[in-house]
Structures are given as C-alpha cells and as structure tokens.
Amino acid sequence: MKNNFDRMLSSEDVMRRRASFLQRIHIDGPLLVILLTLAAGSLFVLYSASGKNWDLLLKQATSFGIGLVSMFVIAQLEPRFMARWVPLAYLAGVFLLIVVDVMGHNAMGATRWINIPGVIRFQPSEFMKIIMPATIAWYLSKRTLPPQLKHVAISLVLIGMPFILIVRQPDLGTALLILASGAFVLFMGGLRWRWIISVLAAAVPVAVAMWFFVMHDYQKQRVLTFLDPESDPLGTGWNIIQSKAAIGSGGVFGKGWLLGTQSHLDFLPESHTDFIIAVLGEEFGLVGICLLLIVYLLLIGRGLMITAQAQTLYGKLLAGSLTMTFFVYVFVNIGMVSGLLPVVGVPLPFISYGGTSLVTLLSAFGVLMSIHTHRKWIAQV
C-alpha cells in the first residue's frame, strides 16, 4: 500500500511539473489571449468614440490594468476558499447597496454610486454580478439537487433583496442582469420544468404590476419608444434612430477608423458607453461587428468548456452562471442598440467605457480561471 501511495504522489508531482507556466500561476491561456484582444480592441474603438479623448483612454487603460491584477489575484484562490467567504461577501454587498440607498451619490437622475471625495467613486451593484451567482451556487451546492421548493424560495429571497435595492436606485438594467445571474444557477441546479413554466406564466401579471407600481416614467417611455421609435424622433426615440442610422451607414466594410459621422458630429449620444457598438458598426461595418461577435463567442465557448470540466458542484454552478450572464450582457446591449430590445442602460462588455464594470468583468473571469486551473487538486466543496 505504501508503494502505491508513493506512486500516486510521484504521478501528481509529474503532473505539476508538466503544467505550463500559465497553469502554475493559475492563468488560463486561451481566456487571457481573448481578454487581451478585447482590451486592445476596446482602446482602439474608444479613442474614436470619445472624440480622441486621451484622458478617457488613459482611465480605461488604468481600469484594465487594475482589472487584470484583480483577475490574477482571484485566480490564485481555490474555489473552496472563495466559497467560505461568499456569505460575508453577500452581506457586505447588500450593506453597500443600503448605503447607496441612504446616502449614495446622485448623477444623471440616478443614485447608484458611493463617492469618497478625493479617493474613489464606485458602483456597488456591479460587484453583485459576481456575488449573486456565487451566493446561490454556494447555497445550492450544499443541498440535494434538484432543489426542493423551500430551497428555491430561500434562493429567491437571496436574489430579491439586492434586486429590489438596485431597482430603487433606479437601475433596472443591472437589476435584471443580477436577477438573471441568480436564476441561471437555479436552472443549472435542475429546477423543475413545471416551476419554470409557472414562472413564465406569471411573467405577464408581474410585468403589468411592474409597469404600474415599479417602473419610473422614463423607463415606461423607453418601452413605448422601443415599440415605436418614430413616435418621438427628436426626444426619446432619438438614440435608437441615430444608432440604427450609424450601424446602417457603415455598410459591409465601414467608413474607416475616425471617419464616423454620427458620433463625431454628436448625433449619437453616449457613443463611448452604451452605444459604442454603433460607432464600431459605422467605422468598421458588418465585418467589424462580426469579428467582435466571433471573439465574444470564443470567450463564451471557453467559459462553457470550463463549466463542463469543473470538478465540484459549486464550481460548475458558478462557472455556468457567470458565462451565461456574460452572454445576456452582450445580447442585451446589442439588442438594445439595434432596436430589438428596449433601452435599459447596459454597457457593452469590455468595449464600453466604465471602470467598475471593467474590473468586475475581469474579476469574474478570474473566478473562471480559478475553477479551471485548480480542478486537478481541489476537493469537493
């Protein structure tokens, strides 16, 4: 028996020696290459979309740097170690959302930030995009699956508290993304189809209730504008009309870098944030958008592969939820900008300008790298 044990140890040593340098520092090579490609493309497009604003470009590059450091640090942590701290992270996240509700910083008619003058301004709801799926994955991984009704109910309460606090900011787009991230964990946990069908059947009365009791006037106007943008072409329909005009005018190959008219002549609002893909479409055409979509598909495909190879239930639930939430992130922004979905203020991942969002996204992929690179030596959570 001792000889067998020694052979097992020696085989593990061989596996460790054969691991590549990136694996030894817990970085997934394909993911890193894709993320760096998106980073370079983002700065390239943002320079044009921001009107050649070097200060804004420097801030975005700095956020990328901070995000990459955060990704590297998180990738070193074993999933089981992260799972131990998930409940505390959830409580801290909810507490910060309460702080935002009570004394948050107001900008552009919304209270979404905590501002420490001269130090930092950040958006706590962004962190919940990681904390929420991690919390539900932690909770369900300790229960028998498929989850029982009481476990589903507790999960919905855990999802509902931050959802309500974020809706109050108001930030319906982020609230729906966080709701989706928790719902994906429940779905991957084997949620019974009769419950899923019941939820879908209840969607209509819930939507009606949100229309009359939850949604603000500007949010209702966004829905009406989505249904008929031409009803107010110089008001609420302006963004969608100009966005579609920019994308359509790019044709197949685009007008060329820095040669877009809709953004540079200020026809396209928020060209460096929510509507940045319209700038990409105008300057690089259908080819540019297709190349970006291919990179996104490679990123999502890699995330799904990591999900399939995860060796713990917690890792599988969390990796799958983060990957599918990223897909929804991309789908909602592109659908919104092209007029297929109402405008909900969701930026394009890795391309739109935004520090907190960028750091959060890179941190999420740090979690994926941790799940993937620790899979040979971790025990079940």
Side-chain angles (χ1 to χ4, degrees), residues 50-293:
S50 64
K52 305 179 184 179
N53 188 328
W54 279 103
D55 289 338
L56 195 127
L57 202 68
L58 181 61
K59 289 180 181 178
Q60 185 79 341
T62 302
S63 296
F64 265 117
I66 295 172
L68 288 172
V69 171
S70 176
M71 180 186 74
F72 177 80
V73 171
I74 291 174
Q76 310 313 303
L77 307 176
E78 290 189 3
R80 60 183 175 183
F81 174 82
M82 289 189 284
R84 294 193 196 106
W85 293 95
V86 162
L88 184 60
Y90 177 82
L91 293 175
V94 172
F95 172 75
L96 289 175
L97 290 176
I98 293 173
V99 171
V100 170
D101 191 57
V102 174
M103 50 183 293
H105 177 76
N106 187 286
M108 295 181 291
T111 306
R112 303 173 184 173
W113 297 269
I114 291 177
N115 186 28
I116 303 175
V119 181
I120 191 173
R121 190 180 89 164
F122 65 98
Q123 192 173 346
S125 59
E126 288 290 334
F127 301 127
M128 292 303 296
K129 293 176 182 176
I130 300 177
I131 295 172
M132 176 53 65
T135 301
I136 306 303
W138 164 81
Y139 179 74
L140 292 182
S141 65
K142 297 179 180 296
R143 273 78 190 171
T144 303
L145 298 181
Q148 300 176 13
L149 184 59
K150 64 179 180 180
H151 297 145
V152 174
I154 292 173
S155 299
L156 292 177
V157 171
L158 292 172
I159 296 170
M161 285 192 288
F163 174 80
I164 292 171
L165 288 169
I166 296 170
V167 167
R168 282 176 53 83
Q169 294 180 359
D171 190 356
L172 186 59
T174 300
L176 290 175
L177 285 173
I178 289 172
L179 176 66
S181 68
F184 278 131
V185 180
L186 283 169
F187 178 78
M188 295 182 64
L191 194 65
R192 290 178 173 84
W193 277 105
R194 64 175 180 270
W195 294 349
I196 296 174
I197 294 171
S198 299
V199 170
L200 293 176
V204 173
V206 169
V208 172
M210 288 187 66
W211 179 271
F212 287 104
F213 303 108
V214 177
M215 295 177 67
H216 294 255
D217 289 339
Y218 78 92
Q219 292 170 333
K220 294 179 182 179
Q221 190 59 51
R222 284 178 176 179
V223 176
L224 296 174
T225 300
F226 159 68
L227 297 174
D228 185 13
E230 303 295 336
S231 62
D232 188 12
L234 299 179
T236 55
W238 177 265
N239 288 6
I240 294 298
I241 292 172
Q242 297 303 319
S243 174
K244 292 194 290 186
I247 294 172
S249 66
V252 177
F253 299 104
K255 299 176 179 177
W257 188 48
L258 302 177
L259 299 178
T261 55
Q262 298 297 112
S263 57
H264 289 285
L265 297 178
D266 294 329
F267 286 105
L268 183 65
E270 306 297 334
S271 59
H272 65 292
T273 54
D274 296 352
F275 287 85
I276 195 169
I277 197 170
V279 178
L280 177 69
E282 183 179 23
E283 297 189 354
F284 298 96
L286 178 64
V287 172
I289 291 180
C290 287
L291 287 175
L292 177 63
L293 291 178

